[in-house]
């Protein structure tokens, strides 16, 4: 009789934790938009332990897409000349509840900050594309994300941060 082995990483559930989409300059923006806007993407990974005595974590992929265009030369709709005009802002927090089993302590952080967001990313990418397309704009298609690089740069920033004396 063989024992069933529990996988080291289990995705229990995934869900949209928060979703916001706004077009602050509607309806005027639709009349002046002649080309795809410039989109700035910010991405962050947040982790929190669900219960202190268990290896169950909520991992959240927080994404913000902010699209802008140069303001028109003549200010017909309240935009300041020379200042970028916001086309849309999309904020998405997409989360998963993960159980870690038998993962060595020194591997827990990279699993939570690299592997877990890698599993969530395709779903968050689709939601962001759908919501921007449904908002009347070209869909925002997130390119591949180097979660290893993101994790390593976060580690370097934490290592470089000065420690205050008590």
């Amino acid at each position: 009789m063989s024992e069933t082995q529990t996988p080291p990483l289990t995705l229990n559930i995934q869900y949209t934790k928060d979703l916001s989409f706004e077009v602050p300059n509607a309806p005027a923006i639709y009349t002046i938009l002649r080309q795809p806007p410039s989109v700035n993407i910010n991405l962050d990974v947040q982790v929190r332990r669900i219960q202190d005595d268990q290896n169950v974590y909520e991992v959240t992929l927080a994404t913000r897409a902010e699209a802008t265009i140069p303001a028109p030369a003549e200010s017909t709709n309240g935009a300041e000349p020379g200042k970028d005009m916001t086309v849309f802002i999309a904020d998405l927090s997409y989360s998963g509840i993960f159980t870690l089993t038998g993962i060595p302590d020194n591997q827990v952080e990279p699993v939570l900050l690299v592997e877990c967001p890698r599993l969530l990313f395709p779903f968050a990418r689709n939601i962001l594309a759908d919501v921007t397309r449904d908002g009347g704009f070209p869909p925002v298609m997130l390119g591949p994300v180097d979660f290893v690089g993101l994790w390593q740069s976060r580690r370097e920033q934490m290592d470089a941060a000065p420690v205050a004396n008590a």
Side-chain angles (χ1 to χ4, degrees):
M1 195 182 242
S2 66
E3 289 184 34
T4 13
Q5 190 173 8
T6 307
L9 176 64
T10 304
L11 174 54
N12 302 307
I13 190 167
Q14 57 191 34
Y15 51 93
T16 300
K17 186 170 185 172
D18 186 33
L19 176 61
S20 168
F21 182 78
E22 60 181 293
V23 184
N25 292 303
I29 196 72
Y30 294 103
T31 63
I32 62 173
L33 191 62
R34 301 283 180 254
Q35 61 190 30
S38 170
V39 181
N40 183 32
I41 305 286
N42 289 314
L43 190 116
D44 190 27
V45 178
Q46 300 155 355
V47 176
R48 74 178 183 91
R49 188 185 288 252
I50 302 292
Q51 292 182 340
D52 287 340
D53 60 340
Q54 295 183 0
N55 283 330
V56 180
Y57 300 85
E58 179 187 54
V59 177
T60 301
L61 194 55
T63 309
R64 180 181 177 93
E66 188 167 350
T68 58
I69 58 168
E74 66 281 343
S75 180
T76 56
N77 42 19
E80 294 178 39
K83 188 175 179 190
D84 285 350
M85 189 173 180
T86 300
V87 176
F88 65 80
I89 300 168
D91 284 307
L92 170 64
S93 293
Y94 193 76
S95 300
I97 303 295
F98 293 88
T99 301
L100 308 185
T101 308
I103 294 178
D105 287 347
N106 67 342
Q107 292 298 308
V108 168
E109 184 179 306
V111 166
L112 290 172
L113 294 174
V114 176
E115 292 307 318
C116 294
R118 194 178 286 165
L119 293 171
L120 297 173
F121 179 76
F123 301 96
R125 180 179 191 255
N126 287 343
I127 292 168
L128 190 60
D130 287 349
V131 77
T132 53
R133 185 199 63 232
D134 292 349
F137 302 101
V140 171
M141 299 302 289
L142 294 177
V145 174
D146 177 12
F147 288 106
V148 172
L150 197 62
W151 169 63
Q152 287 173 338
S153 68
R154 177 183 278 185
R155 295 278 314 200
E156 289 169 7
Q157 287 173 356
M158 289 173 62
D159 291 346
V163 178
N165 292 332

